[in-house]
Amino acid sequence: MKKFKVGIVGATGMVGQRFVSLLENHPWFELAAVAASPRSAGKTYQQAIGSRWAMPSPMPQAAADLIVLDASDVKSVVEKVDFVFCAVDMKKDEIKALEEAYAKAECPVVSNNSANRFTEDVPMVVPEINADHIQIIQSQRKRLGTKRGFIAVKSNCSLQSYVPALHPLMKDFGVSKCLVCTYQAISGAGKTFETWPEMVDNCIPFIGGEEEKSEKEPSKLWGHIENNKIVAAQSPAITAQCLRIPVLDGHTAAVFVSFDKKPSREEILEKWAGFSGTAQELNLPSAPKQFLHYFEEENRPQAKLDRNLENGMAVSIGRLREDTQYDYKFVCLSHNTLRGAAGGAVLLAELLAAKGYLD
């Protein structure tokens, strides 16, 4: 695999910082450019971040010395890189315009943003679940009039905990409906306890737009390509509540599920234990060896103990038992800025590289 030069658009935010950390010593990708708002442009990355570095490991020196580019100056970024990760904090219509500008400049965009998730010819991919959706890129390139350029996105961070647990059960048992309550970490809002002291000893029962994403985005992941667009799946029906809790990293989901054909507990555990996807088949560098991990202990998974499982790229499951209203209930956990955000986007980029879309 050739080494690809990578840019990060929106490099100073929480997810941008996580991208910088993940690209240090990556076997396929080399960080070549960082871009942010005009107020950061012209400074070194270290100067632009100042005291706001929020990652557990030190800032990589190679990134610290890079001069921050103006993210809106597409040409200055594109001439330095083979593709970009996008994690900007802007209005949706501005993000769509910016990502499309990069794509039309023949620079592939792997986006952490939600702005293009429901664009019909933009693949929204979890590599273990719907890797085949990247085939829509051919249609998207025709629409954009590009040869290399395109946009691919990852799904919302909260989905990454419970959708992977439902997916292996759908084919044989038919998931008919699902109720999910997510308990989401403050890093999902780009915050730490130092920058958001109001979250200490607190729980906020609302996260703007999150419940709609949690209910709608899975249908696109489970959809299919037809007539140059991705057609959403009609089932299962999902209803969600999303709460912000005082945890730094790790989104937890309490899941209630009913089936067309109710499986035994042993059948569910067998499906989870045996599940792997394209990411594992291709042995992508960021892919977990075992995607789904089940804990028999009654008090697991826990964010503090289990969020970093397999470098934060695995999903933890526990407390599977029958329910009085639904067929079963269980609890899931995933690391929201690794599997759920930057790590999931890096894994998607690895899939695109392995399949030749970044050549």
Side-chain angles (χ1 to χ4, degrees), residues 47-80:
Q47 290 170 338
I49 293 291
S51 61
R52 294 184 295 113
W53 183 253
M55 296 299 105
S57 57
M59 181 185 294
Q61 193 57 49
D65 295 335
L66 287 174
I67 300 299
V68 179
L69 304 173
D70 183 343
S72 64
D73 185 358
V74 174
K75 185 175 183 293
S76 70
V77 180
V78 167
E79 65 188 11
K80 294 179 181 295

Side-chain angles (χ1 to χ4, degrees), residues 74-135:
V74 174
K75 185 175 183 293
S76 70
V77 180
V78 167
E79 65 188 11
K80 294 179 181 295
V81 302
D82 296 311
F83 75 97
V84 297
F85 291 112
C86 191
V88 293
D89 183 11
M90 298 163 60
K91 295 177 181 176
K92 267 190 180 178
D93 57 343
E94 295 173 348
I95 294 173
K96 288 186 81 167
L98 184 67
E99 291 183 346
E100 196 159 298
Y102 274 90
K104 286 182 174 178
E106 298 295 359
C107 180
V109 177
V110 180
S111 178
N112 184 71
N113 301 303
S114 64
N116 271 302
R117 286 184 191 153
F118 285 98
T119 305
E120 291 180 329
D121 58 7
V122 170
M124 181 176 69
V125 176
V126 177
E128 288 89 350
I129 292 174
N130 64 328
D132 61 308
H133 281 196
I134 63 174
Q135 295 170 27

Side-chain angles (χ1 to χ4, degrees), residues 14-283:
M14 180 77 79
V15 175
Q17 292 180 30
R18 183 65 79 177
F19 275 124
V20 168
S21 290
L22 290 174
L23 292 177
E24 185 179 22
N25 301 318
H26 192 283
W28 295 1
F29 304 147
E30 176 187 350
L31 182 60
V34 289
S37 65
R39 67 177 177 271
S40 296
K43 301 175 183 177
T44 66
Y45 185 64
Q46 190 162 36
Q47 290 170 338
I49 293 291
S51 61
R52 294 184 295 113
W53 183 253
M55 296 299 105
S57 57
M59 181 185 294
Q61 193 57 49
D65 295 335
L66 287 174
I67 300 299
V68 179
L69 304 173
D70 183 343
S72 64
D73 185 358
V74 174
K75 185 175 183 293
S76 70
V77 180
V78 167
E79 65 188 11
K80 294 179 181 295
V81 302
D82 296 311
F83 75 97
V84 297
F85 291 112
C86 191
V88 293
D89 183 11
M90 298 163 60
K91 295 177 181 176
K92 267 190 180 178
D93 57 343
E94 295 173 348
I95 294 173
K96 288 186 81 167
L98 184 67
E99 291 183 346
E100 196 159 298
Y102 274 90
K104 286 182 174 178
E106 298 295 359
C107 180
V109 177
V110 180
S111 178
N112 184 71
N113 301 303
S114 64
N116 271 302
R117 286 184 191 153
F118 285 98
T119 305
E120 291 180 329
D121 58 7
V122 170
M124 181 176 69
V125 176
V126 177
E128 288 89 350
I129 292 174
N130 64 328
D132 61 308
H133 281 196
I134 63 174
Q135 295 170 27
I136 197 70
I137 288 170
Q138 182 178 355
S139 299
Q140 185 194 145
R141 282 173 169 162
K142 287 180 181 177
R143 174 176 65 85
L144 295 175
T146 60
K147 293 182 179 178
R148 279 193 80 244
F150 64 86
I151 302 163
V153 301
K154 54 152 292 298
S155 63
N156 182 260
C157 53
S158 63
L159 274 67
Q160 309 284 340
S161 54
Y162 62 90
V163 167
L166 294 173
H167 183 70
L169 309 177
M170 294 178 66
K171 182 179 178 182
D172 290 340
F173 311 122
V175 175
S176 58
K177 62 178 180 175
C178 175
L179 164 70
V180 60
C181 297
T182 63
Y183 305 89
Q184 300 186 202
I186 63 172
S187 58
K191 305 287 189 179
T192 65
F193 288 114
E194 288 72 27
T195 61
W196 201 5
E198 298 87 349
M199 272 309 303
V200 176
D201 190 32
N202 197 13
C203 174
I204 299 176
F206 173 73
I207 306 172
E210 204 75 2
E211 288 165 0
E212 294 85 351
K213 294 172 188 174
S214 296
E215 292 172 353
K216 284 182 62 181
E217 288 187 21
S219 65
K220 183 170 181 178
L221 289 175
W222 288 322
H224 66 279
I225 296 172
E226 183 180 320
N227 296 328
N228 301 318
K229 63 183 181 180
I230 297 169
V231 179
Q234 295 303 302
S235 63
I238 297 176
T239 185
Q241 286 206 102
C242 301
L243 294 80
R244 188 74 71 191
I245 61 169
V247 167
L248 180 59
D249 291 311
H251 287 356
T252 298
V255 184
F256 302 78
V257 59
S258 289
F259 298 93
D260 297 328
K261 176 187 173 186
K262 184 179 177 180
S264 67
R265 184 177 187 274
E266 290 70 28
E267 285 176 316
I268 294 175
L269 292 176
E270 184 180 344
K271 289 291 184 185
W272 284 340
F275 180 68
S276 65
T278 302
Q280 287 71 38
E281 293 163 14
L282 294 174
N283 197 27

